[in-house]
Amino acid sequence: MPDRAEIHLEGVPETQLWTLYQRAAEARRRDTVLEDPKAVELVDAIGYPFEERFGTKAFGQWQALRARRFDQEVRRFLAHHPDGTVVSLGEGLETQFWRVDNGRVRWLTVELPESAEVRRRVLPAGSPRQRILGCSALDVRWMDEVDATRGVLITAQGLLMYLRPAEVHGLITACARRFPGAALVFDAIPPWFSAASKAGKLKTDGYVAPPMPWALAPAELRWLDGADGIAEVRRLPPPTGRGLLHRILMPALTRTPVVRDQLLTIMIARFAR
């Protein structure tokens, strides 16, 4: 077996290893809800104490279903814009390109320089249509690298919750202004989850999740609904999964407003033309 690539990340950048670990754990199952052989290959190629650091793989299906919902939106976009550009903000070690590639999509990964270097080292571009830009998603100069002539979809999976509210507002507003007619798919956490992260309560024996300042509180929903340049904001239902929780209970709970507001959410914001 070739030597594994040693990875050393801390803070928010380390979270990409947790999501990769969970997604790969689910992908190894015979009854997986997400075919992701690239994630399995990647975990096997990285020298990192995944199990010692993160412990349980119990969130594998949830993580895979989240990724599958994002995949569905990317495929929906590509059905109408087969030569379009997908901009993946804070992509980390997500392997979505290999799951959704239609042979024509242009893909831009925008990631912090430290994480971008890790991605280049262990997950090299599989196509000349892929590019990695090492900068913060808040550095709007990344927008100059986007060809918007064939359509644009922006994704922010596991990113916005680590930003401050003013940063989230500024980023979304800048995207709406720069890419009229495009859309942003993102996930968000409820206020109680944000509070737990800031109190250091989201942890395993070897790992404590970093603070997550931004949550989708009612005030944030009102801001999104009224923000300049946003034509529509709506929740995206989770895909149906395996077992009682993900096959029956979660779909039902997401249709109940009081309960739905306490769950992790995937949203789409469409920008006005």
Side-chain angles (χ1 to χ4, degrees), residues 20-34:
L20 172 65
Y21 171 66
Q22 297 292 338
R23 204 169 64 251
E26 172 65 24
R28 293 182 195 273
R29 294 181 58 111
R30 281 187 167 184
D31 57 352
T32 183
V33 299
L34 183 76

Side-chain angles (χ1 to χ4, degrees), residues 86-166:
V86 173
V87 181
S88 185
L89 302 178
E91 187 167 27
L93 293 175
E94 171 60 69
T95 49
Q96 185 178 51
F97 174 83
W98 286 269
R99 298 195 303 267
V100 303
D101 182 24
N102 66 349
R104 296 164 64 178
V105 61
R106 270 62 178 172
W107 199 278
L108 177 63
T109 296
V110 178
E111 184 54 272
L112 293 171
E114 176 187 13
S115 296
E117 182 55 35
V118 169
R119 185 175 177 91
R120 289 190 185 99
R121 183 153 61 96
V122 303
L123 198 60
S127 163
R129 293 175 284 104
Q130 282 180 281
R131 289 186 296 147
I132 302 173
L133 186 62
C135 75
S136 168
L138 300 175
D139 182 349
V140 296
R141 287 178 294 180
W142 63 260
M143 298 181 182
D144 297 334
E145 302 295 321
V146 178
D147 177 4
T149 58
R150 297 181 178 88
V152 176
L153 178 69
I154 304 166
T155 67
Q157 183 179 175
L159 170 67
L160 299 187
M161 62 280 294
Y162 296 109
L163 305 180
R164 294 187 295 272

Side-chain angles (χ1 to χ4, degrees), residues 60-264:
Q61 184 177 184
W62 171 81
Q63 178 63 29
L65 289 172
R66 179 179 78 157
R68 200 170 93 193
R69 178 75 259 190
F70 275 80
D71 287 0
Q72 288 171 351
E73 293 308 306
V74 173
R75 290 190 178 103
R76 194 189 313 276
F77 165 74
L78 293 178
H80 297 282
H81 306 277
D83 299 298
T85 298
V86 173
V87 181
S88 185
L89 302 178
E91 187 167 27
L93 293 175
E94 171 60 69
T95 49
Q96 185 178 51
F97 174 83
W98 286 269
R99 298 195 303 267
V100 303
D101 182 24
N102 66 349
R104 296 164 64 178
V105 61
R106 270 62 178 172
W107 199 278
L108 177 63
T109 296
V110 178
E111 184 54 272
L112 293 171
E114 176 187 13
S115 296
E117 182 55 35
V118 169
R119 185 175 177 91
R120 289 190 185 99
R121 183 153 61 96
V122 303
L123 198 60
S127 163
R129 293 175 284 104
Q130 282 180 281
R131 289 186 296 147
I132 302 173
L133 186 62
C135 75
S136 168
L138 300 175
D139 182 349
V140 296
R141 287 178 294 180
W142 63 260
M143 298 181 182
D144 297 334
E145 302 295 321
V146 178
D147 177 4
T149 58
R150 297 181 178 88
V152 176
L153 178 69
I154 304 166
T155 67
Q157 183 179 175
L159 170 67
L160 299 187
M161 62 280 294
Y162 296 109
L163 305 180
R164 294 187 295 272
E167 293 172 329
V168 174
H169 297 176
L171 177 59
I172 293 176
T173 300
C175 288
R177 183 183 304 120
R178 186 64 178 270
F179 303 112
L184 168 67
V185 183
F186 62 96
D187 53 353
I189 58 174
W192 70 264
F193 199 89
S194 173
S197 75
K198 289 186 282 188
K201 295 181 179 179
L202 303 180
K203 59 185 179 180
T204 64
D205 289 342
Y207 177 73
V208 179
M212 305 177 196
W214 183 72
L216 196 64
E220 292 298 285
L221 275 172
R222 289 193 295 271
W223 179 86
L224 283 165
D225 281 335
D228 288 342
I230 296 183
E232 177 194 21
V233 179
R234 61 183 175 89
R235 297 175 189 265
L236 297 173
T240 301
R242 178 185 63 246
L244 177 64
L245 175 62
H246 292 289
R247 184 168 55 87
I248 297 175
L249 292 181
M250 286 303 293
L253 292 174
T254 56
R255 293 192 294 269
T256 307
V258 174
V259 179
R260 180 184 63 196
D261 292 343
Q262 305 304 315
L263 303 174
L264 279 71

